[in-house]
Amino acid sequence: MSRITRRPSFLTVPAFAKINLGIEVLGSRQDGYHELRTLFQTISLHDDIELRRRRAPGVVLRCEHPLIPRDETNLAVRAARDLMRHAGLPGGVEIRLTKRIPVAGGLGGGSSDAAAVLMALDRLFELDLGPARLHAFARRLGADVPFFLLGGTALGLGRGDEVYPLEKQLRAEVVVIDMGRPVSTAAVFRRLGAQLTLKENGYTIFRFVSSDWGDRASFRILTNELERSALEEAPDLADTVRRVRRILVGEGALFAGMSGSGSSCFGLFIERAAARRAVKATRAAGFAAHRGRTVTLGGFRRTWSLRFGR
Ligand code: ATP
């Protein structure tokens, strides 16, 4: 395999969004988190991250988005600080973040930015850590961060930070609806805590992955067990979510759901033409819609290897 020998002084990388095809909440844990089983999927909607070496020490973030913090509360900054400190890297870095993933929309934007920064620093400084050794940094930053070291269609266990890519990868058109309403993930999980009852869950993800994924019936098995709490947290969204779902399904979506703890919704389509119609219809109803595709494990790896020659 070829490797870049010349050290570049800057890199531009995409940070893909994710959707959760399904989420099962299995119980609460000693550490205060919930035990989850989720099916993650990267999609082509992405932020852009440019990393540039600086002589002066420290991490500087530039981002024009009004909702994005530029201090160390930004996960991308924390990721860079942690790794640079640990690896004893000389000088500093500047991070330019172009935000396209809706903020606090259940699409994992902050987590993906953090993972992309870890992987880009790994390449920029030729540390050769790879996902296996970046995993510990990723876990410390947040439960969803490890998934973004691998991408594709993957099972998430534990807090969602134990990630196992599936052999079979989902190839579909995706329409994402930005509901324009941030929902706090922490608040949704807090609500869940109060109402959680021990149950023998239905193994919906097992049943889904062992089906052929080809029709509505297989997708109908999937559930998002955070949705109820998300709509209790944001009751103003209940009607709009129902409307969006109706439009997506009406335009032929194989599956339409809410991602993570909300508020973004998505539809999966086989036909590009149907996805285009769904975008038109949701926009006509006053929603902000984005059309893209799923990014498979192979597609995710190709993106990184094409950029860096390995
Ligand atoms: P999660 O479920 O992991 O909270 P999410 O997709 O719902 O993910 P994010 O877009 O990651 O939400 O943002 C959650 C909060 O994190 C925001 O309120 C924002 O202030 C903060 N944040 C910190 N760093 C970032 C970042 N790089 N991009 C977006 N938000 C960030």
Side-chain angles (χ1 to χ4, degrees):
M1 254 193 249
S2 65
R3 288 197 49 184
I4 293 176
T5 48
R6 187 179 58 84
R7 274 193 173 185
S9 63
F10 79 95
L11 294 176
T12 307
V13 296
F16 296 109
K18 59 89 178 156
I19 51 178
N20 300 82
L21 299 169
I23 304 180
E24 294 167 11
V25 184
L26 306 180
S28 24
R29 300 162 39 123
Q30 298 275 340
D31 61 8
Y33 285 88
H34 285 87
E35 187 73 16
L36 303 178
R37 194 185 285 144
T38 183
L39 202 51
F40 286 118
Q41 175 66 58
T42 35
I43 59 173
S44 55
L45 172 65
H46 64 276
D47 293 342
D48 280 322
I49 294 183
E50 185 185 299
L51 276 190
R52 195 173 282 276
R53 289 163 181 257
R54 283 167 15 114
R55 271 212 192 89
V59 178
V60 177
L61 177 79
R62 302 200 192 284
C63 178
E64 315 234 302
H65 196 295
L67 295 179
I68 296 299
R70 281 185 283 273
D71 57 11
E72 67 289 343
T73 60
N74 193 301
L75 274 187
V77 173
R78 280 184 47 208
R81 286 214 175 134
D82 280 8
L83 186 55
M84 292 190 74
R85 194 180 307 127
H86 172 86
L89 298 178
V93 286
E94 178 183 299
I95 305 171
R96 279 176 194 263
L97 173 59
T98 308
K99 200 78 203 159
R100 289 197 207 88
I101 304 174
V103 177
L107 299 170
S111 304
S112 184
D113 293 346
V117 164
L118 292 177
M119 292 194 289
L121 281 175
D122 191 28
R123 308 298 169 97
L124 192 62
F125 288 90
E126 296 182 322
L127 303 174
D128 228 359
L129 297 172
R133 277 182 289 167
L134 290 173
H135 183 255
F137 293 95
R139 278 190 70 224
R140 272 199 298 275
L141 291 163
D144 281 354
V145 183
F147 164 66
F148 291 105
L149 298 174
L150 298 175
T153 315
L155 179 68
L157 300 179
R159 298 183 306 153
D161 53 356
E162 262 181 59
V163 182
Y164 303 96
L166 298 193
E167 190 183 345
K168 186 165 161 182
Q169 296 284 302
L170 178 65
R171 288 180 174 76
E173 301 283 324
V174 183
V175 174
V176 172
I177 313 299
D178 175 2
M179 308 295 277
R181 159 74 151 92
V183 173
S184 155
T185 305
V188 171
F189 274 103
R190 273 198 299 274
R191 282 184 181 272
L192 199 65
Q195 57 172 240
L196 201 68
T197 51
L198 278 176
K199 62 177 168 5
E200 176 58 33
N201 73 68
Y203 291 99
T204 57
I205 292 175
F206 179 85
R207 282 158 55 214
F208 173 74
V209 299
S210 40
S211 75
D212 68 6
W213 313 17
D215 55 9
R216 284 214 176 105
S218 10
F219 281 93
R220 217 174 286 135
I221 298 169
L222 292 169
T223 54
N224 177 348
E225 292 184 355
L226 295 181
E227 182 168 330
R228 204 169 110 198
S229 307
L231 294 179
E232 279 171 14
E233 179 62 24
D236 50 299
L237 278 177
D239 262 357
T240 34
V241 167
R242 250 194 308 273
R243 264 178 73 208
V244 163
R245 252 206 192 109
R246 208 177 306 125
I247 298 173
L248 294 171
V249 171
E251 296 299 339
L254 201 54
F255 180 62
M258 179 186 265
S259 184
S261 54
S263 60
S264 302
C265 293
F266 64 91
L268 299 178
F269 296 82
I270 299 183
E271 305 279 338
R272 188 165 299 173
R276 281 210 185 97
R277 283 199 306 274
V279 166
K280 241 184 175 169
T282 41
R283 284 187 184 154
F287 297 102
H290 166 92
R291 187 174 64 80
R293 283 192 57 74
T294 55
V295 174
T296 60
L297 186 63
F300 189 90
R301 285 185 182 154
R302 264 192 306 282
T303 303
W304 281 87
S305 62
L306 282 178
R307 251 159 239 261
F308 307 112
R310 62 175 159 137

